[in-house]
Amino acid sequence: MGSVGKLSLDGVRKSFADTVALDGVSLDIAEGEFFTLVGPSGCGKTTTLRTIAGLESPTDGRVRFDGEDVAGVPTEDRDVGIVFQSYALFPHMTVHENVAYGLNFADPPEGTSVDERVTDLLDLVDLSGMGGREPDRLSGGQQQRVALARALAPEPEILLLDEPMSALDARLRETLRRQIKRIQTELDVTTVYVTHDQEEALAISDRLAVMNDGRVEQVGTPREVYERPATEFVASFVGENNLFRGEVRGTEGTETVVSVDGTEFRVDDGDLAGGDLTFCVRPEDLTVDADTNRFDVAVDTAEFLGETTRYYADWGEQSLVFRSPDPHDTERLTLGFDPDDARVL
Ligand code: ATP
């Protein structure tokens, strides 16, 4: 059973005393891919990354680089570049010296001197001319780009990024994530990125793994994960969602009739067996005065977000969220959705 990817994890488990941090994680990451691990605090993202780096050894399971088991290979021999949450730059060294430090244990690419390599990297991360500065005279985003340049200096096969933007404010994070994505695409370096921010994960990744409680719930492209969540956890964690729990009452053509608290809805999402069924509808797919699947709600709160307004509304015991570009001043509204926009979980 070999793996085909550049980097693969096969049934990786990791326990710390009586805490199970990873409970059988399997992943297959392709060459040049920007792959993200996303999930709530404590779900095992950092432990997965540290296991790939060789900073933790798995209690069970295999990590393979290019199909080769790397068990027992120390971090410095794994050809990985790592950027952590905290910048971890040396304060008494200049930017140039910090980046050059990345070449202390590895040679620069053939035919390049250390100085040339550092200059090229500072160019790449948009910090040309800043080599003589001390890190404390740089912004947080600039410091993280120095850390990135240092990690990239020896031309690693794999780049590992652990929440590199968590200390930055929202605006700066958006800028830096575009820069990271551009640099990654330019170098075509296989990258594993850890974040708890699902929006960031959707924006930056070729594919992502949604993790929960030491396990991988779903792997897919951002669009697949958003449009076809595999589990209730993924449906709720990635983007906002409305879950409806009901019972199948029968079928009409391609549609399944589902009763939720006495209201019948039609959902069109493949062949569905009888019994209990949960489906979800995204806030942008719940629309005011829709033609189908109509029901009345009481609007609770409206948040004006600029291009759209987010409304929280009560439907019986359930709280729902929907978005609309139009202002709605009334307290009672009729919402509905297209049977095609319901996703069965
Ligand atoms: P966060 O986003 O908060 O960093 P995470 O998804 O990266 O979370 P991990 O740091 O991988 O999660 O931790 C997974 C679980 O393992 C947690 O319950 C954590 O408390 C535990 N854990 C991690 N490292 C250790 C350790 N060295 N000793 C004991 N428990 C640990």
Side-chain angles (χ1 to χ4, degrees), residues 60-172:
D60 200 3
R62 298 269 165 263
V63 178
R64 294 188 181 91
F65 287 12
D66 288 324
E68 296 280 324
D69 193 334
V70 291
V73 178
T75 303
E76 57 271 25
D77 294 334
R78 288 198 181 193
D79 213 358
V80 294
I82 314 174
V83 179
F84 293 107
Q85 202 162 332
S86 58
Y87 318 130
L89 299 178
F90 300 109
H92 55 281
M93 291 185 187
T94 62
V95 164
H96 186 101
E97 287 163 348
N98 265 283
V99 176
Y101 184 85
L103 293 166
N104 266 7
F105 310 101
D107 293 329
E110 225 181 287
T112 338
S113 70
V114 169
D115 280 349
E116 283 165 355
R117 181 69 181 152
V118 172
T119 305
D120 287 351
L121 285 160
L122 290 179
D123 250 2
L124 179 75
V125 300
D126 288 335
L127 290 174
S128 332
M130 302 265 206
R133 288 225 195 159
E134 310 248 305
D136 64 1
R137 291 186 46 230
L138 298 179
S139 71
Q142 289 171 329
Q143 291 185 44
Q144 247 345 15
R145 281 184 278 144
V146 175
L148 181 61
R150 184 177 61 187
L152 289 169
E155 269 196 319
E157 288 277 321
I158 296 170
L159 180 63
L160 304 174
L161 305 170
D162 190 357
E163 304 247 13
M165 304 196 241
S166 58
L168 308 177
D169 68 57
R171 182 74 40 140
L172 205 51

Side-chain angles (χ1 to χ4, degrees), residues 16 19-21 39-48 56 163 194 196:
F16 297 101
T19 306
V20 178
S41 182
C43 71
K45 307 178 293 290
T46 295
T47 304
T48 305
E56 303 286 357
E163 304 247 13
V194 162
H196 61 272

Side-chain angles (χ1 to χ4, degrees), residues 161-306:
L161 305 170
D162 190 357
E163 304 247 13
M165 304 196 241
S166 58
L168 308 177
D169 68 57
R171 182 74 40 140
L172 205 51
R173 275 210 305 270
E174 281 181 27
T175 312
L176 185 59
R177 94 178 170 214
R178 282 201 301 279
Q179 287 171 318
I180 289 179
K181 181 69 181 180
R182 172 189 55 78
I183 292 164
Q184 189 272 340
T185 308
E186 211 169 302
L187 301 180
D188 205 24
V189 58
T190 308
T191 300
V192 186
Y193 183 84
V194 162
T195 180
H196 61 272
D197 182 338
Q198 49 85 28
E199 193 184 304
E200 196 167 281
L202 292 178
I204 206 168
S205 318
D206 293 324
R207 285 189 310 149
L208 52 137
V210 183
M211 295 186 67
N212 182 29
D213 213 6
R215 294 168 169 276
V216 173
E217 295 249 343
Q218 186 171 5
V219 176
T221 65
R223 193 171 284 278
E224 280 163 3
V225 169
Y226 187 84
E227 291 181 352
R228 301 222 64 93
T231 63
E232 281 191 27
F233 176 81
V234 175
S236 312
F237 185 79
V238 179
E240 292 177 304
N241 227 330
N242 298 289
L243 297 186
F244 295 86
R245 293 174 212 282
E247 261 173 62
V248 172
R249 287 282 185 255
T251 53
E252 283 177 17
T254 61
E255 296 173 0
T256 304
V257 180
V258 185
S259 168
V260 181
D261 289 335
T263 303
E264 290 200 341
F265 294 108
R266 278 156 181 72
V267 305
D268 193 351
D269 195 23
D271 284 340
L272 304 169
D276 292 343
L277 182 148
T278 300
F279 63 91
C280 60
V281 183
R282 291 284 182 193
E284 60 272 27
D285 295 326
L286 274 187
T287 53
V288 177
D289 296 327
D291 295 332
T292 46
N293 287 325
R294 290 157 62 88
F295 56 102
D296 295 332
V297 298
V299 175
D300 178 52
T301 321
E303 294 176 343
F304 179 63
L305 303 175

